[in-house]
Amino acid sequence: MGATGVEQAAQYLTFRLGEEVFALDITQVREVLDYTAITRVPRMPEFMRGVINLRGSVVPVVDLRLKFGMALTERTVNTCIIIAEVAIEGERTLLGALADSVQEVIDLEAGQIEPPPRLGTSINAQFIRGMGKRDERFVIILDVDRVFSNDELTLVQAAGAAPEAAG
């Protein structure tokens, strides 16, 4: 069975939020950081935990658990920040996403990915690119560009651009 070139396997970084396993397209993941101090930014939505300093750049950090209606991410030895590249109105920007733990990089063939379910998930289906099947378990493949609305991303971008508040 020859691959047509379009239906190639893609690599995904898998991570946990609570009991669920999620995945991001590896091409959008820049790096994974150990949990680091997050500076709170006033008047941001609750899921926006604040900003971190990444080699001199200010990168906003979001709590995907809060975004998906789960409990706040509790810091453990495995808590990490996945630095991903998202598109905001055609512009690429870096965003940190808190994860309970990062698992592994997996290969999924197009045939192993099903369309997102219409019902039965607490997460808005538009956030889900598909459901990857792996060892009889499902991995929720996120469409990171759609998880946040443009309004939210504009806020996030503003947080990243905000000068350090004095005090």
Side-chain angles (χ1 to χ4, degrees):
M1 292 204 296
T4 59
V6 178
E7 299 292 318
Q8 291 168 319
Q11 290 193 308
Y12 297 91
L13 176 72
T14 60
F15 61 95
R16 288 191 96 88
L17 298 177
E19 296 303 303
E20 301 285 348
V21 178
F22 292 85
L24 287 175
D25 188 319
I26 199 76
T27 61
Q28 289 185 290
V29 176
R30 289 293 153 256
E31 61 189 296
V32 177
L33 306 174
D34 288 332
Y35 187 92
T36 183
I38 299 173
T39 305
R40 192 90 187 103
V41 178
R43 293 194 304 278
M44 284 286 140
E46 195 182 2
F47 69 83
M48 262 285 311
R49 293 291 287 273
V51 295
I52 59 169
N53 179 340
L54 181 65
R55 291 183 294 283
S57 298
V58 177
V59 176
V61 176
V62 297
D63 191 332
L64 289 176
R65 288 178 60 131
L66 286 178
K67 181 67 183 160
F68 297 155
M70 302 162 132
L72 186 80
T73 298
E74 296 293 337
R75 184 177 174 182
T76 69
V77 292
N78 294 319
T79 307
C80 55
I81 300 172
I82 300 169
I83 304 296
E85 196 175 272
V86 295
I88 303 178
E89 294 166 356
E91 202 178 307
R92 310 295 304 159
T93 191
L94 291 178
L95 184 68
L98 284 173
D100 291 339
S101 64
V102 165
Q103 311 246 241
E104 60 186 331
V105 174
I106 60 171
D107 290 304
L108 288 176
E109 306 281 339
Q112 292 174 284
I113 300 174
E114 314 236 327
R118 293 178 103 59
L119 309 163
T121 173
S122 57
I123 300 168
N124 188 329
Q126 77 181 26
F127 299 162
I128 303 175
R129 186 180 285 175
M131 303 295 285
K133 259 218 227 60
R134 183 138 194 283
D135 307 328
E136 301 307 308
R137 298 219 30 203
F138 276 111
V139 175
I140 301 167
I141 301 169
L142 292 177
D143 186 340
V144 76
D145 290 336
R146 296 176 75 178
V147 168
F148 302 99
S149 70
N150 271 346
D151 292 351
E152 289 171 342
L153 283 173
T154 306
L155 274 175
V156 166
Q157 214 174 20
E164 291 297 308

